[in-house]
Amino acid sequence: MSMFAGESREQLRQRYRDAWRKFAAQQPLEPLEAQLAAVIAEHPEYIAWLESGDAALLADFTPEGGRENPFLHMGLHLAIREQVATDRPTGISRVHRELTRRSESAHAAEHRMIEALAETLWEAQRSSSPPDEAAYLERLRRL
């Protein structure tokens, strides 16, 4: 996902909107656009909002506002999918398979995994250090 590096918040959000617009128009998608469109399609609650115009590019999502950040949520799905595809950290693919087996779908398993990833990233940001992969895997295994 290094393609996102260096992009502003609005540019990143525009990527989601553009991918969805192309998907909805049945236009050919680049591989990254296909991944974005797939995660959007699994979240129909975000579609009308994404199609609503520039409000989607400029909105702020603060804990005090009480609204989930759809871009963060979908980005965490993409991160988990990349981790599972590359089995990094080592063992996450096995954890995902087990959670999928016990859940109704791979998407539902990802929803269970998102909290552990978000907590791990928050801790890394707070301590100005790389994410602790061992602690992350342990959180996932406890699910």
Side-chain angles (χ1 to χ4, degrees):
M1 295 292 158
S2 62
M3 288 185 66
F4 297 143
E7 289 188 349
S8 70
R9 179 180 79 168
E10 290 77 20
Q11 290 169 320
L12 176 58
R13 290 176 177 190
Q14 187 63 49
R15 278 188 179 269
Y16 282 86
R17 290 180 61 206
D18 292 345
W20 184 252
R21 187 174 22 255
K22 285 175 72 174
F23 175 80
Q26 299 181 342
Q27 295 175 340
L29 300 171
E30 297 293 326
L32 180 57
E33 292 172 329
Q35 290 178 43
L36 293 170
V39 79
I40 293 166
E42 293 174 339
H43 294 86
E45 68 274 22
Y46 299 152
I47 293 172
W49 187 78
L50 280 171
E51 293 174 342
S52 69
D54 288 344
L57 299 177
L58 303 173
D60 286 321
F61 302 93
T62 61
E64 303 81 34
R67 285 181 28 199
E68 177 182 59
N69 182 334
F71 297 104
L72 175 59
H73 181 81
M74 291 185 290
L76 290 172
H77 273 287
L78 292 169
I80 288 170
R81 291 173 186 187
E82 180 72 14
Q83 291 173 343
V84 169
T86 60
D87 197 33
R88 173 124 197 249
T90 302
I92 195 167
S93 295
R94 185 177 62 250
V95 170
H96 182 261
R97 275 192 308 275
E98 179 59 27
L99 286 172
T100 299
R101 187 185 64 74
R102 291 188 283 137
S103 302
E104 58 211 42
S105 66
H107 183 246
E110 289 168 13
H111 274 178
R112 296 181 66 194
M113 298 169 76
I114 280 175
E115 188 68 28
L117 177 56
E119 184 177 353
T120 301
L121 293 174
W122 179 81
E123 284 179 351
Q125 183 179 23
R126 189 181 68 185
S127 66
S128 298
S129 62
D132 183 336
E133 291 183 357
Y136 175 44
L137 277 173
E138 183 54 35
R139 284 184 182 105
L140 291 173
R141 288 184 181 116
R142 287 193 305 253
L143 295 174

